[in-house]
Amino acid sequence: MTIEKKKSAYCPMSPAVEQAARLLLCLGKNKKNDLGLTSICKEIGIHKSKGYSILNALTQYDLITKDPKTKTYSLGPALMPLGQKAREKLDITAIAKEHLQTLANETKASVLLGIINNDQFYIAGKYDGNDKLSVTVRQYQSLHITHGSHGKAIFAFLNEKEQQRIINSDQLFFHGDIESLDKKRLEQELKFCRKNGYAVDNG
């Protein structure tokens, strides 16, 4: 595993559409119910005037709702049928449910079913085998592909090209915050994972 950086291939995109998508994802990942304009723009790295224009446009289509009292924004009701459509198309939970619940019961642990897209791990299903102890994540929540033990397990078995691409992104959450990454420790953890077929996380 090397850490040399390479320039990414050119990919034409519409800046406004990209910013709108990042804004929606920002609100979706937010642990609080609502966010203000300043917080949103700071999170996705755009000027407040641009953020305000995008929010107004999304509000017109009910993709975003604005609380007139608190001046905060949250995801809108128009996303519900879109989410349902996506779920129907990607509903692997019905196929996997029985097997994963059996695994959860046998291991007395939480079992997650995820879909990987754009370096995000989307939790499509969660099955608990222990009513006293479980993983504190929600169904439909998204985590970065390098987050926690599942991130190590996924990364360990990617091909070298994919590993290098993720390393070049500098978005590495194997040990929590980006600043906490310990490369020597990670190398040992990946070797352990490849040998044993699973990864562990102390967090």
Side-chain angles (χ1 to χ4, degrees), residues 25 29 113-125 140-143:
L25 291 173
K29 295 174 185 176
L113 173 65
I115 298 171
I116 299 173
N117 187 50
N118 290 331
D119 291 345
Q120 292 291 317
F121 180 82
Y122 294 90
I123 299 173
Y140 308 126
Q141 182 179 346
S142 66
L143 301 169

Side-chain angles (χ1 to χ4, degrees), residues 43-57:
E43 180 70 23
I44 64 178
I46 61 175
H47 293 296
K48 290 175 68 174
S49 58
K50 173 65 73 173
Y52 185 71
S53 297
I54 294 173
L55 285 165
N56 279 342

Side-chain angles (χ1 to χ4, degrees), residues 28 72 130 187:
T72 55
N130 187 334
E187 288 281 3

Side-chain angles (χ1 to χ4, degrees), residues 34-190:
D34 307 302
L35 280 178
L37 174 63
T38 301
S39 297
I40 293 171
C41 294
K42 182 178 180 180
E43 180 70 23
I44 64 178
I46 61 175
H47 293 296
K48 290 175 68 174
S49 58
K50 173 65 73 173
Y52 185 71
S53 297
I54 294 173
L55 285 165
N56 279 342
L58 294 174
T59 301
Q60 292 297 315
Y61 292 91
D62 290 329
L63 296 169
I64 294 289
T65 58
K66 181 180 180 180
D67 188 320
K69 293 183 179 180
T70 62
K71 308 294 184 182
T72 55
Y73 299 86
S74 59
L75 296 178
L79 291 171
M80 295 175 67
L82 296 179
Q84 181 61 33
K85 277 289 185 181
R87 182 183 178 187
E88 290 172 0
K89 185 175 181 180
L90 299 173
D91 194 9
I92 58 175
T93 57
I95 300 173
K97 181 178 180 180
E98 182 179 348
H99 301 288
L100 295 179
Q101 188 61 65
T102 298
L103 178 60
N105 293 338
E106 290 178 351
T107 59
K108 303 298 181 184
S110 296
V111 175
L112 303 179
L113 173 65
I115 298 171
I116 299 173
N117 187 50
N118 290 331
D119 291 345
Q120 292 291 317
F121 180 82
Y122 294 90
I123 299 173
K126 179 186 176 187
Y127 308 89
D128 294 320
N130 187 334
D131 58 1
K132 296 181 180 179
L133 181 66
S134 66
V135 177
T136 55
V137 294
R138 305 182 307 276
Q139 189 172 2
Y140 308 126
Q141 182 179 346
S142 66
L143 301 169
H144 193 267
I145 193 174
T146 64
H147 180 85
S149 57
H150 79 262
K152 298 169 194 172
I154 293 169
F155 186 86
F157 294 97
L158 292 176
N159 60 52
E160 187 175 349
K161 183 178 180 180
E162 273 296 288
Q163 288 184 344
Q164 188 62 56
R165 181 189 64 77
I166 293 173
I167 290 171
N168 288 344
S169 73
D170 284 335
Q171 298 296 303
L172 305 176
F173 302 92
F174 293 109
H175 301 142
D177 295 335
I178 297 175
E179 295 77 12
S180 301
L181 178 67
D182 184 330
K183 293 179 181 177
K184 290 185 178 180
R185 172 185 160 193
L186 178 61
E187 288 281 3
Q188 295 301 315
E189 290 171 331
L190 294 176

